[in-house]
Every structure is written in structure tokens, then in C-alpha cells.
Amino acid sequence: MLQRDEVPVPTLRPGEVLIETVSSGVSDIDLMYRSGRLRMHGVGFPKQPGFDVLGVVRDTRNAAVQPGRWVWSVLGLEPSRRRGTAVEYLRVDSRRIGLFLDGCTPQAEVGALALGALTALKSLRSARVAGGQRILVVGAAGAVGTAAIQLARFFDADVDAVAGPAGLDLCRGLGATRVFDHTTASVDTARTSGSYDAVVVAAGRGKDWLDAARSGGRVVLTRADSWVATIPSAVRSSRCVLGVAAGHSAADLTWLAQRVAEGQLAPTIGKSYDIDDLAQAHSEYGQGGTAGARLIRHQP
């Protein structure tokens, strides 16, 4: 059950900043969090939802980050803490924020990009993606997938995508060379091709996509609940299978912020909600029929 409460503005500790939140996203991990499937996160109740945020620094205990600076942040799994990003003011360690360029005022839509983009970047780096390689992104119309297509293109890789009917044109527009509809038999062409240098699985079962990678290729899984289920198949495979999590690297977030500022990475919004409609956003997430990330607007 989601409930809105009034609490004091957080008091900062050395090295922390206070972010006035502008927007955030909704992702798989939010629903896993609320359902109790993340048992490692099961103390310190009641908890606040939300894992990523875009906002403006309003107070600081770090001389290198001044008030008025636009930043974004991704929180980690912190079992004993209650905090989340669905708040008006967020206190966070400055080592977990990415800085936008001075003078850059990102659109509110960028708030739905942080967690997906960080996960995509980690996935592509783990897959050792380089120019000229062939990459397949599965679940390509979601927040992770759309970021992965754009970043793979930035790295000069050739990208194919697997998505539902609502996301096919979106993936093509982002630069995917070939797009496969996962609801039709045509997807088997990609699933069994054995021709990709790397496969990023952002949705679905990882073991279903091992044969898409070439022998010695790398298959990267972004959903924690698919890692363990893929191990038996991975052992029998000649592919390298890796599970990744976004983390919260300030250097990576700042690098991604620069890609946003320079127009090389953009948010793709499937649906937008006001913060008062957060419960509705959670209930509608994963129901299908839309493509792109889910945005939560914290301010009018």
C-alpha cells in the first residue's frame, strides 16, 4: 500500500547534498521491491519507493557541488534504510550523483532515464561492446532497452532489437538496424541466429536467448530474477553469461549526463504521471501496450 506522509526536510551530513526532486521513473525493481521479492531489502520499514531521480541541488555539504546545479542520482539496495526517490527532498551522498553541465537545464522527461541508462551502460561495458560488433537488445522498447540502443550506436555498434508491437517503430527511430516482433515467429530468426557478439536481455528469460550469441559471445542479463534461472543453461553453453546491476557510479552518471546534454542520449516516455498518481503508475506498469519509460512528475 502506498501512502503519502509529511516528514521533516532531511538534515545533511558531511559529503551529502539535498536534491529538490523534479522527476523520476518507475521500473521493474520498484515492483519487485514492493512485492517482497527483494528479501535482502526487508528491514527498516516503512519504506519510500523510487530508485532514480532528477532534480536541483538546494543545499550541500560538498564544496564541489554548489546549490542550483542540476543532478541525477540512482539509489542502491540498502536493507536498513527507508529512503526512496518518491519524495520532495532527497538527501544523498554526493558520490552517488551525476552532474549536468553548467548552464544545462534538462527536461523533466530525463528523470525517467537515469536507472535505465546506467543499467544499459553497465551492460554494454560488461559485454565489451565495440565499433563494428553486432548487438542484439531484447526488451528493447523499455527504459533499459531504449538506452542500450542509443548507447550501442554511440559506440558504433550495429544494433538489432526485439520488442512488442507497440515498440517496433520506436526502436527503428532510435537506430536499430533490424527489429523483431516478439509476438511473431519472425523473432526465431534472431533467437537462434548464433551471430551476435553480445546480447543484452532486458526483458524475458535469459536462457531463451543464449543461442542468439555466437560461440564465445557474451549474454548480459539485467534482471536479477533471471540470473539464477539461466545458470544451468549457461553452464552447457559456450557463451559467457553475465548478470549486471546498475550500481550508482557518480562518474558514469556524469558521463551519461554529458551524453544527454550533447543530444546523444534522450528519454523515451511511454506514459507520464503526476506524483499524486504514483500508485496508478505502479499498478499499470508491466501491463503491456506501451513503449518507453514511465515518468513521474514531482512538480507541475
Side-chain angles (χ1 to χ4, degrees):
M1 175 180 178
L2 289 175
Q3 176 178 314
R4 184 167 184 166
D5 288 328
E6 296 290 333
V7 298
V9 175
T11 301
L12 297 184
R13 299 168 183 169
E16 293 182 332
V17 298
L18 185 69
I19 302 173
E20 181 180 7
T21 59
V22 171
S23 59
S24 61
V26 176
S27 64
D28 288 328
I29 197 169
D30 287 296
L31 273 66
M32 293 172 67
Y33 185 38
R34 287 191 61 202
S35 69
R37 283 185 285 165
L38 294 177
R39 297 190 182 278
M40 68 183 76
H41 210 83
V43 296
F45 290 97
K47 291 183 179 290
Q48 299 164 336
F51 282 87
D52 57 358
V53 69
L54 170 74
V56 183
V57 174
R58 293 306 185 197
D59 196 6
T60 180
R61 295 296 181 270
N62 182 342
V65 184
Q66 292 301 304
R69 192 73 178 267
W70 280 85
V71 299
W72 59 359
S73 181
V74 173
L75 302 183
L77 292 175
E78 300 162 330
S80 64
R81 295 197 179 189
R82 301 180 179 183
R83 69 177 180 178
T85 60
V87 293
E88 186 176 3
Y89 291 98
L90 176 69
R91 184 188 77 189
V92 66
D93 192 313
S94 57
R95 293 173 295 182
R96 294 189 176 193
I97 62 171
L99 303 174
F100 285 83
L101 298 173
D102 281 328
C104 175
T105 302
Q107 296 179 335
E109 287 79 3
V110 172
L113 182 60
L115 180 58
L118 196 57
T119 305
L121 179 61
K122 186 76 169 287
S123 299
L124 295 175
R125 285 180 173 169
S126 296
R128 301 177 184 173
V129 170
Q133 290 185 336
R134 293 193 66 209
I135 310 301
L136 179 67
V137 179
V138 182
V144 175
T146 52
I149 292 173
Q150 295 177 76
L151 292 173
R153 295 295 299 128
F154 177 80
F155 293 137
D156 293 324
D158 182 42
V159 190
D160 290 349
V162 177
L168 303 180
D169 288 339
L170 172 62
C171 294
R172 292 188 187 97
L174 293 174
T177 302
R178 294 192 299 172
V179 180
F180 302 94
D181 183 344
H182 74 74
T183 67
T184 69
S186 66
V187 75
D188 291 334
T189 302
R191 194 194 310 272
T192 61
S193 68
S195 62
Y196 292 99
D197 297 289
V199 180
V200 176
V201 183
R205 302 188 305 177
K207 64 181 181 180
D208 292 342
W209 296 96
L210 296 180
D211 289 339
R214 62 172 176 78
S215 178
R218 304 171 82 83
V219 179
V220 180
L221 313 177
T222 69
R223 288 179 55 98
D225 56 350
S226 72
W227 297 352
V228 175
T230 307
I231 290 175
S233 300
V235 170
R236 296 188 296 269
S237 170
S238 59
R239 286 79 175 174
C240 176
V241 180
L242 304 166
V244 302
H248 37 71
S249 164
D252 287 347
L253 283 166
T254 298
W255 185 89
L256 289 165
Q258 186 171 351
R259 303 285 75 76
V260 171
E262 295 179 358
Q264 297 148 345
L265 178 64
T268 56
I269 306 302
K271 194 166 184 179
S272 177
Y273 303 82
D274 290 335
I275 187 64
D276 289 338
D277 298 321
L278 182 61
Q280 179 184 351
H282 278 220
S283 67
E284 292 180 354
Y285 186 86
Q287 298 302 310
T290 62
R294 302 299 177 100
L295 176 74
I296 306 298
R297 295 181 182 272
H298 293 238
Q299 300 180 10

